[in-house]
Amino acid sequence: MTAVADARVSPRARGSARDLAGTGTLLRLALRRDRIMMPVWVLCLGLTASSTVGRLKSTYETPEQRADLVHDMNGNGSTRALFGAAFDDSLGALTVWRVGAFLTVFAAIMSLLIVLRHTREEEETGRQEALSAGMVGRRAGLTAALLTVGIANGAVTLLIAGGLASQGGTGALALGLAVGLSGMAFGGLAAVAAQLTENTRLARGLSSAAVGVAFVLRMAGDAAEDGSKGSGHVLVWLSPLGWAEYARPYADERWWPLLLIAVLAGASITLAYSLAGRRDVGASFYASRPGPAAAGPLLTGVYGLGWRLQRGALLGWAAGFVFSGAIFGSISDGADDFLGDSDQTREIIQRMGGAQGLSDAFLAAMVGVLGTILTVHTVSSVLRLRSEETDQRAEPLLSNAVSRLRWAGSHLVIAYLGPVAVLAVGGLALGLGYGIAAGDVADQLPRALGATLSQLPALWVVTSLTLLLVGVLPKYSAAAWGLVGWVVAVGWMGPALKFSQPVMDTSPFSHLPKLPGDEVTAAPFLWLLLLSVVAAAGGLVGLRRRDIGG
Amino acid sequence: MKTAISVSGLHKSFGRTHALDGLDLEVEAGEVHGFLGPNGAGKSTTIRVLLGLLRADSGAVQMLGKDPWHDAVDLHRHIAYVPGDVTLWRNLSGGEVIDLYGRLRGGLDTARRAELLERFELDPTKKGRTYSKGNRQKVALVAAFASEVELLILDEPTSGLDPLMEEVFRECVTEERDRGRTVLLSSHILSEVEALCRRVSIIRKGRRVESGSLAELRHLTRTSVTAELAGEPRGLSALPGVHDVDIQDRRVKLQVDTDKLDAVLRQLTEAGVRSLLSTPPTLEELFLRHYQDDVTRTEAEAITR
């Protein structure tokens, strides 16, 4: 009977069944490889919400206090930009306001990392080829990667929904789904990116850029308009992260924005599947073209090589900063909108110089956001040294007449000077955007430029600490990402969450004046520069003395 | 004769693993020196120390009269290195990598570069991973042979090359030798070693176990003897240096240490020889004997005694 039944299955269906052969084994392999990374991500994302409830409860005990908080926070453009609108003053809604925006972004980042790790990276390293030679179907790799990311996001959803259930099950479920579905949507987009390019680095860059654009659009839309009083700015609705926010957990949940995210996830996964079925293992839709037969004048040595290897990422970051700077700048003129229609209040504030002050406060917050997020670039730029080493490209390079310091310098020049360029173009875009909106380019441009460039000493501290790790504790170089996470968490959430001063002080960025607007003194800059120089020197000494490849 | 590489009592540990355990190595200037040993014997570790990539725990290392750790950069102007597994940058073409390496060494002979590209049939416009394993090796080989250097360090350089290209490689090494350059060749391809190297060093478990010319090494190993005799063979197993004696009726097969051959022949002629076949050790046998680990070796010796 079975044989007869089998024979009736259409060739197409049988084909797709074979396409998935080996998925189970690949899934177990993926889970085994991610046995540390995935639980860490899932627990961090899943437990943040429930642990926040307790802290909020003790900080804002009465409904009046919470209502005040909501009023203050919705009234401030920069906190709206960072956290989104606060839709209600219940404990549950406040928790969502406080952690929701970050959970969706980090779920997206976790998902794109997991998907690319098990798709394009497997192909680029040639491991997929060896696996595909076994009883593994054409689409098994992609399916296993998506199942892995599905398990991760499913676990996050359940942990969030379970952890917040005490505040009401519906809202808990809405937040859990908003986070988990956002993860799946960006995981799906990463799966598409994995089909488009042969280069894992580029695929990671493209999918991270998608998260970045979605985040900036959401920030800009929320900054421009207080969503708790209306249906949200149009920019918010251009961003999947905005859809997650406007599902409004604990504030008359709306389910259809979640459906939008699910549709995006489904559509991107479908697209990835159809692309994956049409291409060769290891290949992509943009095949690599032949290069020059001889090296050009730029590639005269390791510095030319370093530039070749890192210019793509640098240009990507510069483009991202121009985009973000222009958007933040052009909306910041409206930062005093919340004062509403009361002419009286507006007059009082303006008399106090507050209108200027409010825009400056918003600009300063955005400058801090840009400065801290740029640590991602500078850290990955330094870590390129380590990956060149572990990928065994440093070894033959260093067997030439290249000193270790020179080799390190070829990447470090980008790690240290790249941010100068990126912050400069970001500052110019910010200043132009704001200057044009406020009709005062001549004054605002240099102020914005100075403000973004003021981030450099703090940024360099992170750069140098990463270099210290690479030089002295190379096996633990990846710990630099923990540093990035910490600096971003303190910089973005610390002020609104009222982190204690000693905690805030652990981030080098907390020591910078809030520019534009704040008073500038030389001392913090000098201390940060000194720390940066000392750490860099330690790292370079370590790099000179240690074994390569160790 | 000048010494190009001189290593004595070299130790290097990684955590608990003792990778090099008092290694000695001498390579004379102008020779092609074979560097042999089973997987994990410490060949690549030795080469990394020679290149100044790893720091020796103890022992003396001199390359072209310099210290590879302290004088790495000066030294590397005169050295070309080809790893066994060449990894390229994905967005750089092979031609770019060849030129880059040339510029980072003592310079590149452009005429020779063109000639080598031709001989190795290598397309320099392809990029990174689009090269096959063999072609990636060729990129590094062309860069090394076209460089103006004194010393070539080749770590299993022909892995992935087809037999035709292997032949080109041998020609190139011979040309390098004729131009007076020194080559340290780590290889598992014994015919390659036999064709190119005058002297070899064999290492095992981080120590040198044998060094000398191939003729000298041959002498240290066993000859296999097959004979048909007129009478009953007697007392062969009792002779010193005789192994694996197999007697079937009047047919004898045995292995004998080459320097103990005389006594065996005397014993055989006593019984009357009808036919005799004596085969010198092949390179494979020579290396197998050195590659075997201690346990089987001492066991084998205990049994034959």
Side-chain angles (χ1 to χ4, degrees), chain B residues 214-225 239-243 254-266 278-283 285-286 289-290:
Chain B
L214 282 171
E216 285 166 8
L217 292 188
R218 278 231 169 77
H219 193 65
L220 293 173
T221 51
R222 297 167 189 175
T223 301
S224 84
V225 175
L239 289 175
V242 173
H243 314 276
L254 57 80
Q255 303 270 324
V256 56
D257 293 351
T258 307
D259 54 347
K260 302 277 177 8
L261 198 54
D262 284 352
V264 173
L265 289 179
R266 243 177 265 130
S278 160
T279 333
T282 62
L283 263 184
E285 285 165 338
L286 195 153
R289 182 169 156 198
H290 284 293

Side-chain angles (χ1 to χ4, degrees), chain A residues 258-497:
Chain A
L258 293 181
L259 196 65
L260 278 181
I261 309 178
V263 167
L264 175 64
S268 53
I269 288 172
T270 311
L271 179 60
Y273 266 109
S274 88
L275 293 175
R278 284 184 219 163
R279 64 178 184 88
D280 303 336
V281 170
S284 71
F285 275 83
Y286 296 110
S288 73
R289 289 165 312 210
L298 259 181
L299 198 62
T300 47
V302 284
Y303 281 91
L305 178 65
W307 168 247
R308 270 293 282 280
L309 297 178
Q310 298 221 15
R311 66 180 177 188
L314 186 64
L315 293 176
W317 276 94
F321 266 53
V322 168
F323 170 73
S324 314
I327 287 204
F328 292 154
S330 51
I331 57 166
S332 55
D333 188 38
D336 54 344
D337 274 359
F338 81 95
L339 291 172
D341 302 327
S342 160
D343 286 338
Q344 203 182 341
T345 324
R346 186 182 286 269
E347 213 182 302
I348 294 166
I349 298 283
Q350 274 172 349
R351 239 184 279 136
M352 292 161 64
Q356 185 68 40
L358 279 170
S359 293
D360 274 358
F362 178 76
L363 282 175
M366 293 308 111
V367 164
V369 165
L370 292 175
T372 45
I373 198 66
L374 198 55
T375 55
V376 173
H377 172 245
T378 186
V379 163
S380 76
S381 193
V382 177
L383 289 182
R384 190 65 188 251
L385 278 175
R386 179 66 185 158
S387 69
E388 284 288 289
E389 191 184 344
T390 51
D391 293 348
Q392 292 168 8
R393 284 186 285 258
E395 196 172 280
L397 206 55
L398 288 170
S399 77
N400 299 319
V402 176
S403 74
R404 290 184 185 189
L405 290 186
R406 210 176 152 70
W407 167 67
S410 70
H411 291 280
L412 294 179
V413 73
I414 307 220
Y416 283 91
L417 298 185
V420 179
V422 173
L423 286 171
V425 296
L428 286 177
L430 189 71
L432 271 179
Y434 179 54
I436 290 170
D440 185 14
V441 176
D443 276 347
Q444 296 307 331
L445 197 62
R447 291 181 81 227
L449 190 60
T452 49
L453 290 177
S454 74
Q455 301 286 305
L456 280 168
L459 195 64
W460 283 336
V461 169
V462 176
T463 316
S464 297
L465 289 174
T466 311
L467 176 58
L468 187 64
L469 277 172
V470 171
V472 179
L473 292 170
K475 287 203 171 73
Y476 303 97
S477 301
W481 290 118
L483 192 62
V484 169
W486 180 245
V487 165
V488 170
V490 169
W492 295 22
M493 306 174 78
L497 298 196

Side-chain angles (χ1 to χ4, degrees), chain A residues 123-126 129 198-200 282 288-297 299-302 305 308-309 384 388 391-404 544-548, chain B residues 12-14 48 51-56 69 72-74 76-77 79-81 83 85 87-97 99-101 103-106 113 117 124-127 129-130:
Chain A
E123 288 190 63
E124 193 180 345
T125 54
E129 199 172 285
E198 289 175 10
N199 184 344
T200 313
S288 73
R289 289 165 312 210
L299 198 62
T300 47
V302 284
L305 178 65
R308 270 293 282 280
L309 297 178
R384 190 65 188 251
E388 284 288 289
D391 293 348
Q392 292 168 8
R393 284 186 285 258
E395 196 172 280
L397 206 55
L398 288 170
S399 77
N400 299 319
V402 176
S403 74
R404 290 184 185 189
R544 270 188 69 179
R545 296 175 60 88
R546 71 174 172 83
D547 291 343
I548 291 296
Chain B
K12 177 71 193 176
S13 300
F14 302 105
R48 287 186 184 124
L51 291 171
L53 296 168
L54 301 182
R55 185 178 219 167
W69 179 264
V73 177
D74 287 340
H76 291 173
R77 243 177 265 288
I79 293 179
Y81 164 59
D85 200 352
T87 356
L88 301 175
W89 295 275
R90 56 165 309 114
N91 53 349
L92 261 65
S93 71
E96 287 181 300
V97 173
D99 287 349
L100 176 69
Y101 278 156
R103 287 166 184 177
L104 294 175
R105 287 175 188 145
R113 175 190 190 271
L117 283 177
T125 64
K126 288 175 88 178
K127 283 188 194 168
R129 234 183 76 79
T130 57

